[in-house]
């Protein structure tokens, strides 16, 4: 692809899933970290510096659309259901197959018949074509021409995406050195109902509220990360009152029902008492040093409709888990207590009696919880569908027996770094017909022969092939992670082909995972994504 203005040659387009990937633009690109799939899978995608980063969940495939491929390129005319005009370009055609020296002008200036130019800007065609591109690619494609921008700026192409705005991206520096808040009209046109603000102050939040047209009722989700939000806030002409500018966000943004505070160390528990609104249904608080038991009291008293609570706090104790009200016992279905080091089995007792309708529970990093605590969970929370016990070093095979006996609806179980689990524990899990996702990263220690008697001193080993035999009969499994199990052999791992319904298999840091094994998996598990 060449530039007709200066004759510079651009990098060739590379096919991606049968489509032409947009090449790097010369005006400089920023980068966004996008996480999807399992917690171990991360991709780095690029975006223009003028377009803030966007966090994207895995988008559901459009099964009603034809999938273009290199074997049968899909033309714009084919998308419209008409015959291709002579010389029409094809979507999915490798750049190396194009004629040497061929140029690609913008769609509005395409040479040839009028029908060819019309196809390139036909909204019916573009509305189908643009579903094939990622969020970052759509940001670039929107800069091609006004017609493409008009189509791409429809809210349907941006559903489920959250723009991430850093402080420096919120202002333009004028020639005189003054700062001017950027226009957010482009975000409003696309209908974004959630934002993540990074490194902002109370004043920045106020400026955002004043400048984003949908801020009053159109924004449903707000995330503040590594920000200096305070209780009292900065006084700007006395306009924001004594409760603080930052918390005016919750007063003025009447549509916010999901709130996240991460790495915000300047607000206190008193700020939560004075600001939390009953309309909030999902709250996440992490790495905020002033959060302790009194903060949980504020949450339980002020948020009667709370459905999801994600908490990572080092100073929360067992007492806090007894604060939840009877109404929250009916409404709250998700509780994640990550690295709450002071939580013990007594806290688990309070939790299971206060929140009996939980379907998602995480005790990841709650290192004082033992098998007795897991027994309480299994006996009282029969509706659980997801349970995370990662980094709980006191969990043993006995806990897995409780889980297998009582949690018949469990679909996801995370046991990363549970170093006391052996093959005996895996044999208990093999009886769970509902389990679809099982994470066993760096976690199991077993004897070589897998017998039931205690291992001799010095004979404890990490997961070996014998442990895998218990998993081969779990036909319901769709995701299995065995990352960091160094004693698994190629022969043992090859038996996993018996799990024909497996969709994702993680084998990072497994010496037995050889190139030959991956080739074997590609032949016998063609529908499974194997993470090396």
């Amino acid at each position: 692809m060449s530039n007709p203005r200066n004759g510079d040659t651009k990098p060739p387009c590379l096919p991606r899933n049968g489509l032409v990937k947009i090449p790097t633009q010369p005006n400089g690109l920023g980068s966004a970290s996008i996480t999807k799939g399992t917690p171990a899978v991360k991709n780095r995608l690029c975006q223009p510096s003028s377009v803030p980063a966007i966090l994207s969940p895995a988008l559901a495939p459009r099964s009603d659309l034809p999938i273009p491929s290199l074997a049968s390129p899909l033309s714009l005319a084919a998308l419209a259901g008409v015959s291709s005009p002579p010389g029409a370009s094809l979507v999915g055609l490798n750049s190396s197959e194009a004629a040497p020296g061929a140029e690609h002008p913008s769609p509005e200036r395409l040479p040839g018949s009028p029908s060819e130019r019309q196809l390139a800007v036909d909204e019916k065609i573009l509305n189908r074509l643009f579903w094939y591109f990622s969020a970052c690619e759509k940001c670039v494609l929107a800069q091609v021409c006004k017609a493409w921008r008009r189509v791409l700026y429809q809210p349907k192409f941006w559903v489920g995406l959250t723009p991430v705005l850093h402080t420096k991206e919120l202002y333009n520096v004028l020639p005189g050195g003054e700062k001017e808040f950027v226009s957010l009209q482009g975000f409003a046109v696309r209908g974004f109902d959630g934002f993540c603000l990074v490194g902002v102050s109370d004043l920045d939040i106020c400026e955002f509220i004043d400048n984003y047209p949908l801020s009053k009722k159109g924004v449903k989700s707000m995330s503040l990360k590594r920000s200096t939000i305070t209780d009292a806030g900065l006084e700007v002409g006395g306009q924001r009152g004594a409760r603080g500018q930052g918390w005016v966000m919750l007063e003025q943004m009447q549509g916010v029902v999901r709130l996240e505070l991460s790495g915000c160390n300047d607000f206190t528990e008193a700020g939560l008492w004075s600001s939390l609104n009953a309309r909030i249904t999902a709250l996440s608080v992490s790495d905020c040093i002033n959060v302790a038991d009194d903060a949980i009291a504020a949450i339980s008293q002020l948020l009667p409709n709370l459905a999801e609570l994600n908490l990572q706090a080092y100073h929360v104790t067992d007492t806090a888990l007894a604060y939840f009200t009877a109404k929250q016992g009916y409404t709250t279905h998700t509780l994640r207590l990550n690295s709450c080091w002071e939580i013990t089995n007594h806290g688990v007792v309070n939790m299971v009696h206060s929140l009996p309708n939980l379907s998602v529970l995480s005790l990841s990093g709650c290192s004082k919880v033992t098998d007795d605590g897991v027994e309480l969970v299994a006996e009282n929370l029969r509706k659980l569908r997801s349970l995370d016990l990662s980094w709980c070093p006191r969990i043993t095979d006995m806990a897995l027996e409780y889980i297998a006996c009582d949690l018949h609806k469990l679909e996801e179980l995370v046991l990363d770094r549970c170093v006391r689990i052996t093959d005996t524990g895996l044999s208990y899990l093999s009886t769970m017909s509902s389990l679809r996702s099982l994470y066993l990263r760096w976690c199991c220690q077993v004897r070589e022969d897998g017998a039931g008697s205690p291992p001799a001193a010095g004979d404890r080993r990490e997961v070996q092939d014998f442990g895998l035999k218990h998993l081969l009969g779990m036909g319901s499994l769709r995701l299995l992670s065995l990352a960091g199990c160094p004693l698994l052999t190629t022969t043992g791992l090859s038996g996993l082909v018996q799990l024909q319904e497996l969709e994702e298999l993680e084998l990072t840091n497994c010496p037995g995972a050889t190139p030959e094994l991956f080739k074997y998996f590609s032949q016998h598990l063609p529908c499974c994504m194997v993470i090396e």
Side-chain angles (χ1 to χ4, degrees):
M1 188 180 294
S2 61
N3 190 331
R5 296 183 180 180
N6 54 24
D8 294 337
T9 301
K10 295 183 179 180
C13 293
L14 301 176
R16 178 183 181 182
N17 296 331
L19 297 177
V20 176
K21 185 178 180 181
I22 303 302
T24 302
Q25 300 298 315
N27 59 347
L29 294 178
S31 63
S33 176
I34 296 182
T35 304
K36 58 184 178 180
T38 63
V41 182
K42 289 190 177 181
N43 296 320
R44 299 288 295 183
L45 299 183
C46 294
Q47 290 183 316
S49 56
S50 59
V51 182
I54 292 180
L55 291 179
S56 171
L59 298 180
R62 292 293 301 265
S63 58
D64 58 322
L65 299 180
I67 300 178
S69 64
L70 293 178
S72 56
L74 185 65
S75 66
L76 293 173
L79 283 170
V82 299
S83 59
S84 302
S89 59
L90 300 178
V91 178
L93 185 63
N94 194 320
S95 60
S96 62
E97 300 172 359
E103 295 184 353
H104 300 270
S106 65
E108 293 177 336
R109 295 179 293 175
L110 281 174
S113 63
S115 60
E116 184 177 345
R117 292 194 296 270
Q118 292 170 1
L119 287 175
V121 294
D122 185 278
E123 292 192 4
K124 181 180 178 181
I125 299 173
L126 296 177
N127 270 294
R128 300 184 67 187
L129 176 65
F130 289 147
W131 283 111
Y132 295 113
F133 294 91
S134 69
C136 294
E137 290 167 337
K138 290 173 189 174
C139 291
V140 179
L141 292 173
Q143 302 179 45
V144 171
C145 65
K146 292 181 179 179
W148 286 25
R149 185 185 186 93
R150 182 171 58 253
V151 173
L152 277 168
Y153 268 36
Q154 297 177 88
K156 66 181 181 181
F157 288 114
W158 309 95
V159 174
L161 302 177
T162 300
V164 178
L165 304 177
H166 294 257
T167 306
K168 61 182 179 181
E169 297 173 321
L170 295 176
Y171 297 92
N172 290 324
V173 180
L174 302 177
E178 298 180 352
K179 290 185 177 181
E180 178 186 50
F181 202 84
V182 298
S183 173
L184 300 176
Q185 186 62 35
F187 293 101
V189 172
R190 284 174 281 182
F192 285 113
D193 65 353
F195 283 87
C196 176
L197 305 182
V198 182
V200 296
S201 65
D202 296 321
L203 180 59
D204 298 329
I205 295 172
C206 292
E207 291 287 352
F208 173 84
I209 294 173
D210 293 338
N211 286 275
Y212 187 58
L214 304 180
S215 64
K216 298 297 187 292
K217 293 186 178 181
V219 175
K220 306 297 182 185
S221 175
M222 280 298 297
S223 174
L224 303 178
K225 296 187 175 182
R226 302 191 300 277
S227 300
T228 57
I229 185 171
T230 66
D231 294 343
L234 300 175
E235 295 183 4
V236 181
Q239 298 295 318
R240 297 296 181 179
R243 290 182 63 180
Q245 297 173 337
W247 300 123
V248 170
M249 173 187 72
L250 296 178
E251 291 182 353
Q252 296 192 13
M253 302 179 73
Q254 294 295 315
V256 172
V257 295
R258 298 183 297 274
L259 176 64
E260 178 183 9
L261 302 171
S262 178
C264 302
N265 294 324
D266 293 307
F267 77 90
T268 67
E269 294 171 323
L272 290 178
W273 277 106
S274 63
S275 63
L276 290 179
N277 192 290
R279 67 175 179 272
I280 293 177
T281 60
L283 177 64
S284 297
V285 181
S286 62
D287 287 324
C288 299
I289 60 176
N290 294 319
V291 173
D293 288 356
D294 199 41
I296 308 303
I299 293 170
S300 61
Q301 295 296 319
L302 300 175
L303 304 182
N305 301 313
L306 189 66
E308 177 179 345
L309 175 61
N310 303 304
L311 181 66
Q312 189 268 309
Y314 305 121
H315 307 299
V316 171
T317 67
D318 296 335
T319 303
L321 298 183
Y323 290 152
F324 294 103
T325 63
K327 186 173 182 180
Q328 287 167 334
Y330 289 100
T331 61
T332 305
H333 58 73
T334 299
L335 177 64
R336 297 185 178 94
L337 302 174
N338 298 323
S339 298
C340 295
W341 296 339
E342 299 302 320
I343 298 295
T344 69
N345 293 339
H346 295 292
V348 175
V349 172
N350 295 334
M351 175 192 66
V352 298
H353 287 96
S354 301
L355 304 173
N357 291 307
L358 289 178
S359 60
V360 177
L361 174 63
S362 173
L363 297 174
S364 177
C366 298
S367 56
K368 294 183 179 181
V369 174
T370 68
D371 293 342
D372 292 337
V374 177
E375 182 180 16
L376 289 167
V377 169
E379 290 180 348
N380 295 277
L381 303 179
R382 300 296 180 92
K383 297 180 181 179
L384 276 185
R385 296 186 179 275
S386 176
L387 177 60
D388 186 350
L389 297 175
S390 59
W391 295 89
C392 292
R394 303 188 185 191
I395 300 299
T396 70
D397 294 334
M398 190 61 66
L400 301 191
E401 183 178 11
Y402 298 142
I403 292 172
C405 290
D406 295 325
L407 297 181
H408 302 298
K409 296 182 179 181
L410 196 66
E411 298 178 359
E412 180 184 54
L413 179 59
V414 184
L415 298 171
D416 299 344
R417 297 282 183 175
C418 293
V419 295
R420 296 190 180 187
I421 290 176
T422 72
D423 282 340
T424 302
L426 298 186
S427 68
Y428 297 139
L429 298 183
S430 65
T431 64
M432 301 182 67
S433 59
S434 62
L435 201 61
R436 297 174 61 87
S437 300
L438 179 59
Y439 297 88
L440 297 168
R441 300 187 185 103
W442 304 95
C443 64
C444 299
Q445 299 228 345
V446 299
R447 279 207 308 157
E448 191 166 340
D449 61 358
S453 57
D459 193 28
R460 300 179 72 178
R461 307 274 185 95
E462 296 182 17
V463 138
Q464 293 190 3
D465 298 337
F466 186 87
L468 290 181
K469 295 180 180 179
H470 297 303
L471 305 179
L472 300 183
M474 300 179 68
S476 62
L477 277 184
R478 298 295 182 271
L479 187 153
L480 176 62
S481 176
L482 297 170
C485 298
L487 298 185
L488 291 177
T489 67
T490 303
T491 303
L493 290 170
S494 64
L496 294 175
V497 297
Q498 298 182 39
L499 300 174
Q500 284 296 306
E501 301 298 323
L502 206 60
E503 298 174 359
E504 184 173 327
L505 176 61
E506 185 180 11
L507 297 176
T508 54
N509 295 306
C510 289
T514 62
E516 292 77 13
L517 180 66
F518 293 128
K519 183 177 180 180
Y520 181 74
F521 282 149
S522 66
Q523 296 172 350
H524 294 83
L525 291 175
C527 298
C528 180
M529 179 177 67
V530 181
I531 302 174
E532 305 177 17

